Amino acid sequence: MKKSILTIFLVVALCLLGTGCLTDTSDKTYTSHGMSITMPDGFYEKSLASVTVYFESQETIVTALKEDFTTLEAINLGKNSTLKDYGQAVLANNQKNEELKEKDGLTYFTYTTSVSGKNFFYTAVVYKADDSFWLLNFACEDSNKDKYEDIFLKWAKTVSFS
């Protein structure tokens, strides 16, 4: 009897795991201020004065800053500038010595910083739209870096602008 109950329990658990019923991993496309990104369901949008878009989940945040070409003309960046030009300007402006990387169609850099006594890991990705550059920052606690580093790049590949 005990063996039958255990077998039934294991079969049900495996079925639920196989169909995703125990963990909600369904993706959702979030759209705000002309930017769309696909991430797991469970993020919510908040308002933050220093960025154009802010999404938060239990373990991660995603911020997006839109910088119009006309605004960037003051630092000699515009519609003819490259992602590398913009990325280097972001690094210089934030006094970061990180390496600007190009991988799988993304231009980005990673860094860690301390906020309120906690260490956070960031992946900063730059994009170029028709009228602006965008800087997206994906962040998690540094202790979760190994869990999210590749996931952040996966989410970054889904970003689009309208």
Side-chain angles (χ1 to χ4, degrees):
M1 178 73 169
K2 286 183 183 178
K3 192 173 184 178
S4 296
I5 293 173
L6 181 60
T7 302
I8 292 170
F9 174 77
L10 289 174
V11 168
V12 169
L14 287 173
C15 288
L16 290 174
L17 280 173
T19 60
C21 292
L22 292 180
T23 58
D24 184 12
T25 58
S26 59
D27 284 343
K28 177 180 175 181
T29 299
Y30 300 85
T31 301
S32 182
H33 293 82
M35 182 207 78
S36 294
I37 184 169
T38 302
M39 302 180 293
D41 194 13
F43 279 83
Y44 56 94
E45 186 172 7
K46 294 174 73 175
S47 181
L48 185 62
S50 59
V51 296
T52 308
V53 178
Y54 178 94
F55 293 113
E56 185 175 308
S57 72
Q58 288 186 342
E59 292 186 342
T60 62
I61 64 168
V62 178
T63 65
L65 176 64
K66 179 182 181 180
E67 298 191 273
D68 294 320
F69 293 146
T70 54
T71 304
L72 293 171
E73 287 174 355
I75 59 168
N76 298 319
L77 289 174
K79 65 180 178 181
N80 294 323
S81 300
T82 66
L83 284 174
K84 189 173 183 178
D85 295 336
Y86 178 65
Q88 293 293 352
V90 169
L91 286 167
N93 186 55
N94 290 286
Q95 301 174 349
K96 299 280 184 202
N97 293 321
E98 281 72 12
E99 173 190 357
L100 192 61
K101 303 171 188 175
E102 294 178 280
K103 178 181 173 185
D104 296 332
L106 297 173
T107 302
Y108 69 99
F109 59 94
T110 60
Y111 63 100
T112 57
T113 192
S114 181
V115 178
S116 301
K118 284 187 176 183
N119 292 325
F120 289 88
F121 169 74
Y122 293 83
T123 298
V125 185
V126 294
Y127 299 89
K128 188 175 183 180
D130 291 338
D131 62 344
S132 58
F133 282 105
W134 286 75
L135 171 65
L136 270 72
N137 271 290
F138 301 85
C140 64
E141 287 190 32
D142 194 47
S143 59
N144 289 327
K145 174 185 175 180
D146 291 339
K147 178 179 178 180
Y148 284 106
E149 190 167 17
D150 290 337
I151 292 171
F152 287 163
L153 294 176
K154 176 184 171 191
W155 295 347
K157 289 179 191 177
T158 71
V159 173
S160 63
F161 304 97
S162 57

